[in-house]
mmCIF file of all heavy atoms in Angstrom:
data_model
loop_
_atom_site.group_PDB
_atom_site.id
_atom_site.type_symbol
_atom_site.label_atom_id
_atom_site.label_comp_id
_atom_site.label_asym_id
_atom_site.label_seq_id
_atom_site.Cartn_x
_atom_site.Cartn_y
_atom_site.Cartn_z
ATOM 1 N N SER A 162 70.528 25.531 -90.166
ATOM 2 C CA SER A 162 70.953 24.520 -91.102
ATOM 3 C C SER A 162 71.609 23.264 -90.606
ATOM 4 O O SER A 162 71.731 22.150 -91.310
ATOM 5 C CB SER A 162 72.154 25.168 -91.941
ATOM 6 O OG SER A 162 73.327 25.275 -91.128
ATOM 7 N N GLY A 163 71.843 23.263 -89.249
ATOM 8 C CA GLY A 163 72.330 22.037 -88.634
ATOM 9 C C GLY A 163 73.867 21.915 -88.548
ATOM 10 O O GLY A 163 74.484 21.082 -87.843
ATOM 11 N N GLU A 164 74.536 23.011 -89.234
ATOM 12 C CA GLU A 164 75.937 22.949 -89.231
ATOM 13 C C GLU A 164 76.429 22.927 -87.871
ATOM 14 O O GLU A 164 75.936 23.809 -86.980
ATOM 15 C CB GLU A 164 76.361 24.278 -90.079
ATOM 16 C CG GLU A 164 77.856 24.120 -90.525
ATOM 17 C CD GLU A 164 78.380 25.415 -91.143
ATOM 18 O OE1 GLU A 164 77.571 26.139 -91.626
ATOM 19 O OE2 GLU A 164 79.588 25.620 -91.078
ATOM 20 N N GLY A 165 77.580 22.286 -87.592
ATOM 21 C CA GLY A 165 78.136 22.228 -86.372
ATOM 22 C C GLY A 165 77.475 21.461 -85.175
ATOM 23 O O GLY A 165 78.023 21.270 -84.096
ATOM 24 N N VAL A 166 76.250 20.993 -85.356
ATOM 25 C CA VAL A 166 75.497 20.392 -84.287
ATOM 26 C C VAL A 166 76.116 18.961 -84.037
ATOM 27 O O VAL A 166 76.267 18.824 -82.836
ATOM 28 C CB VAL A 166 73.996 20.243 -84.588
ATOM 29 C CG1 VAL A 166 73.335 19.412 -83.556
ATOM 30 C CG2 VAL A 166 73.363 21.652 -84.787
ATOM 31 N N GLU A 167 76.551 18.345 -84.942
ATOM 32 C CA GLU A 167 77.216 17.112 -84.796
ATOM 33 C C GLU A 167 78.470 17.263 -83.944
ATOM 34 O O GLU A 167 78.724 16.529 -82.993
ATOM 35 C CB GLU A 167 77.677 16.422 -86.212
ATOM 36 C CG GLU A 167 77.627 15.015 -86.231
ATOM 37 C CD GLU A 167 76.400 14.366 -85.846
ATOM 38 O OE1 GLU A 167 75.364 14.533 -86.472
ATOM 39 O OE2 GLU A 167 76.401 13.462 -84.959
ATOM 40 N N ASP A 168 79.261 18.291 -84.213
ATOM 41 C CA ASP A 168 80.499 18.684 -83.412
ATOM 42 C C ASP A 168 80.080 18.937 -81.982
ATOM 43 O O ASP A 168 80.824 18.517 -81.124
ATOM 44 C CB ASP A 168 81.155 19.900 -83.979
ATOM 45 C CG ASP A 168 81.723 19.624 -85.321
ATOM 46 O OD1 ASP A 168 82.052 18.458 -85.729
ATOM 47 O OD2 ASP A 168 82.011 20.621 -85.985
ATOM 48 N N LEU A 169 78.984 19.665 -81.826
ATOM 49 C CA LEU A 169 78.530 20.110 -80.423
ATOM 50 C C LEU A 169 78.249 18.731 -79.685
ATOM 51 O O LEU A 169 78.658 18.639 -78.482
ATOM 52 C CB LEU A 169 77.275 20.928 -80.513
ATOM 53 C CG LEU A 169 76.662 21.307 -79.172
ATOM 54 C CD1 LEU A 169 77.640 22.168 -78.298
ATOM 55 C CD2 LEU A 169 75.444 22.109 -79.391
ATOM 56 N N LEU A 170 77.625 17.812 -80.306
ATOM 57 C CA LEU A 170 77.191 16.547 -79.589
ATOM 58 C C LEU A 170 78.509 15.819 -79.249
ATOM 59 O O LEU A 170 78.600 15.301 -78.238
ATOM 60 C CB LEU A 170 76.252 15.643 -80.474
ATOM 61 C CG LEU A 170 74.810 16.297 -80.710
ATOM 62 C CD1 LEU A 170 74.117 15.488 -81.742
ATOM 63 C CD2 LEU A 170 74.044 16.485 -79.487
ATOM 64 N N GLU A 171 79.397 15.779 -80.100
ATOM 65 C CA GLU A 171 80.708 15.138 -79.930
ATOM 66 C C GLU A 171 81.574 15.738 -78.772
ATOM 67 O O GLU A 171 81.836 15.072 -77.906
ATOM 68 C CB GLU A 171 81.486 15.322 -81.147
ATOM 69 C CG GLU A 171 82.823 14.510 -81.127
ATOM 70 C CD GLU A 171 82.872 13.601 -82.431
ATOM 71 O OE1 GLU A 171 81.792 13.123 -82.811
ATOM 72 O OE2 GLU A 171 83.931 13.169 -82.635
ATOM 73 N N MET A 172 81.367 17.106 -78.572
ATOM 74 C CA MET A 172 82.108 17.724 -77.471
ATOM 75 C C MET A 172 81.314 17.447 -76.185
ATOM 76 O O MET A 172 82.002 17.243 -75.123
ATOM 77 C CB MET A 172 81.963 19.234 -77.683
ATOM 78 C CG MET A 172 82.990 19.725 -78.800
ATOM 79 S SD MET A 172 84.708 19.176 -78.528
ATOM 80 C CE MET A 172 85.112 18.699 -80.053
ATOM 81 N N ILE A 173 80.040 17.233 -76.294
ATOM 82 C CA ILE A 173 79.252 16.999 -75.126
ATOM 83 C C ILE A 173 79.685 15.567 -74.647
ATOM 84 O O ILE A 173 79.912 15.324 -73.395
ATOM 85 C CB ILE A 173 77.781 16.961 -75.285
ATOM 86 C CG1 ILE A 173 77.233 18.346 -75.552
ATOM 87 C CG2 ILE A 173 76.908 16.319 -74.135
ATOM 88 C CD1 ILE A 173 75.802 18.549 -76.054
ATOM 89 N N SER A 174 79.734 14.644 -75.511
ATOM 90 C CA SER A 174 80.293 13.312 -75.107
ATOM 91 C C SER A 174 81.668 13.357 -74.492
ATOM 92 O O SER A 174 81.898 12.577 -73.563
ATOM 93 C CB SER A 174 80.148 12.390 -76.358
ATOM 94 O OG SER A 174 78.907 12.206 -76.920
ATOM 95 N N LEU A 175 82.519 14.093 -75.293
ATOM 96 C CA LEU A 175 83.858 14.204 -74.625
ATOM 97 C C LEU A 175 83.919 14.767 -73.236
ATOM 98 O O LEU A 175 84.638 14.181 -72.344
ATOM 99 C CB LEU A 175 84.562 15.189 -75.577
ATOM 100 C CG LEU A 175 86.096 15.280 -75.437
ATOM 101 C CD1 LEU A 175 86.840 13.968 -75.871
ATOM 102 C CD2 LEU A 175 86.726 16.577 -76.084
ATOM 103 N N VAL A 176 83.203 15.890 -73.074
ATOM 104 C CA VAL A 176 83.078 16.382 -71.602
ATOM 105 C C VAL A 176 82.575 15.327 -70.619
ATOM 106 O O VAL A 176 82.923 15.191 -69.409
ATOM 107 C CB VAL A 176 82.313 17.752 -71.581
ATOM 108 C CG1 VAL A 176 82.176 18.220 -70.143
ATOM 109 C CG2 VAL A 176 83.197 18.800 -72.371
ATOM 110 N N ALA A 177 81.563 14.590 -71.099
ATOM 111 C CA ALA A 177 80.946 13.625 -70.165
ATOM 112 C C ALA A 177 81.868 12.502 -69.895
ATOM 113 O O ALA A 177 81.927 11.981 -68.754
ATOM 114 C CB ALA A 177 79.737 13.002 -70.834
ATOM 115 N N GLU A 178 82.693 12.155 -70.912
ATOM 116 C CA GLU A 178 83.544 10.999 -70.698
ATOM 117 C C GLU A 178 84.708 11.400 -69.564
ATOM 118 O O GLU A 178 85.065 10.671 -68.784
ATOM 119 C CB GLU A 178 84.371 10.777 -71.981
ATOM 120 C CG GLU A 178 83.691 9.510 -72.727
ATOM 121 C CD GLU A 178 84.244 9.448 -74.173
ATOM 122 O OE1 GLU A 178 85.382 9.432 -74.325
ATOM 123 O OE2 GLU A 178 83.291 9.236 -75.031
ATOM 124 N N ILE A 179 85.067 12.680 -69.738
ATOM 125 C CA ILE A 179 86.148 13.256 -68.760
ATOM 126 C C ILE A 179 85.511 13.308 -67.360
ATOM 127 O O ILE A 179 86.096 12.927 -66.368
ATOM 128 C CB ILE A 179 86.550 14.590 -69.236
ATOM 129 C CG1 ILE A 179 87.487 14.514 -70.490
ATOM 130 C CG2 ILE A 179 87.442 15.321 -68.166
ATOM 131 C CD1 ILE A 179 87.617 15.875 -71.274
ATOM 132 N N ALA A 180 84.209 13.619 -67.281
ATOM 133 C CA ALA A 180 83.491 13.776 -65.982
ATOM 134 C C ALA A 180 83.327 12.344 -65.427
ATOM 135 O O ALA A 180 82.976 12.132 -64.204
ATOM 136 C CB ALA A 180 82.086 14.392 -66.144
ATOM 137 N N ASP A 181 83.347 11.280 -66.221
ATOM 138 C CA ASP A 181 83.149 9.884 -65.831
ATOM 139 C C ASP A 181 81.932 9.694 -64.917
ATOM 140 O O ASP A 181 81.956 9.483 -63.786
ATOM 141 C CB ASP A 181 84.368 9.451 -64.977
ATOM 142 C CG ASP A 181 84.546 7.894 -64.941
ATOM 143 O OD1 ASP A 181 83.999 7.232 -65.846
ATOM 144 O OD2 ASP A 181 85.029 7.405 -63.825
ATOM 145 N N LEU A 182 80.873 9.974 -65.653
ATOM 146 C CA LEU A 182 79.582 9.979 -64.852
ATOM 147 C C LEU A 182 79.000 8.665 -64.672
ATOM 148 O O LEU A 182 78.842 7.711 -65.670
ATOM 149 C CB LEU A 182 78.547 10.773 -65.704
ATOM 150 C CG LEU A 182 78.804 12.166 -66.105
ATOM 151 C CD1 LEU A 182 77.850 12.783 -67.150
ATOM 152 C CD2 LEU A 182 78.910 13.153 -64.827
ATOM 153 N N ARG A 183 78.762 8.129 -63.452
ATOM 154 C CA ARG A 183 78.366 6.831 -63.127
ATOM 155 C C ARG A 183 77.281 7.010 -62.046
ATOM 156 O O ARG A 183 77.168 7.817 -61.359
ATOM 157 C CB ARG A 183 79.562 6.024 -62.541
ATOM 158 C CG ARG A 183 80.582 5.707 -63.528
ATOM 159 C CD ARG A 183 81.833 5.216 -62.833
ATOM 160 N NE ARG A 183 82.926 5.035 -63.730
ATOM 161 C CZ ARG A 183 83.250 3.991 -64.539
ATOM 162 N NH1 ARG A 183 82.573 2.913 -64.382
ATOM 163 N NH2 ARG A 183 84.248 3.855 -65.250
ATOM 164 N N ALA A 184 76.397 5.892 -62.065
ATOM 165 C CA ALA A 184 75.368 5.846 -61.018
ATOM 166 C C ALA A 184 74.982 4.417 -60.800
ATOM 167 O O ALA A 184 75.121 3.492 -61.736
ATOM 168 C CB ALA A 184 74.018 6.596 -61.389
ATOM 169 N N ASP A 185 74.442 4.078 -59.661
ATOM 170 C CA ASP A 185 74.013 2.745 -59.244
ATOM 171 C C ASP A 185 72.644 2.500 -59.517
ATOM 172 O O ASP A 185 71.832 3.119 -58.752
ATOM 173 C CB ASP A 185 74.470 2.355 -57.788
ATOM 174 C CG ASP A 185 74.273 0.923 -57.438
ATOM 175 O OD1 ASP A 185 73.660 0.250 -58.288
ATOM 176 O OD2 ASP A 185 74.666 0.620 -56.344
ATOM 177 N N PRO A 186 72.193 1.715 -60.422
ATOM 178 C CA PRO A 186 70.786 1.479 -60.762
ATOM 179 C C PRO A 186 70.032 0.717 -59.464
ATOM 180 O O PRO A 186 68.808 0.658 -59.377
ATOM 181 C CB PRO A 186 70.715 0.701 -61.982
ATOM 182 C CG PRO A 186 72.156 0.325 -62.404
ATOM 183 C CD PRO A 186 73.031 1.018 -61.349
ATOM 184 N N LYS A 187 70.954 0.078 -58.702
ATOM 185 C CA LYS A 187 70.401 -0.714 -57.512
ATOM 186 C C LYS A 187 70.383 0.116 -56.273
ATOM 187 O O LYS A 187 69.944 -0.415 -55.283
ATOM 188 C CB LYS A 187 71.158 -1.902 -57.425
ATOM 189 C CG LYS A 187 71.177 -2.979 -58.541
ATOM 190 C CD LYS A 187 71.498 -4.329 -58.112
ATOM 191 C CE LYS A 187 71.547 -5.234 -59.353
ATOM 192 N NZ LYS A 187 72.805 -5.111 -60.030
ATOM 193 N N ALA A 188 70.930 1.370 -56.204
ATOM 194 C CA ALA A 188 70.942 2.175 -55.089
ATOM 195 C C ALA A 188 69.529 2.556 -54.727
ATOM 196 O O ALA A 188 68.548 2.436 -55.463
ATOM 197 C CB ALA A 188 71.859 3.327 -55.287
ATOM 198 N N ALA A 189 69.387 3.216 -53.486
ATOM 199 C CA ALA A 189 68.128 3.809 -53.091
ATOM 200 C C ALA A 189 67.823 4.883 -54.094
ATOM 201 O O ALA A 189 68.713 5.506 -54.577
ATOM 202 C CB ALA A 189 68.275 4.302 -51.691
#
Side-chain angles (χ1 to χ4, degrees):
S162 71
E164 193 186 342
V166 173
E167 209 60 56
D168 295 338
L169 177 64
L170 294 172
E171 189 119 333
M172 289 305 141
I173 292 170
S174 300
L175 186 77
V176 172
E178 267 166 42
I179 295 166
D181 196 31
L182 307 167
R183 294 167 188 268
D185 187 355
K187 295 197 186 81

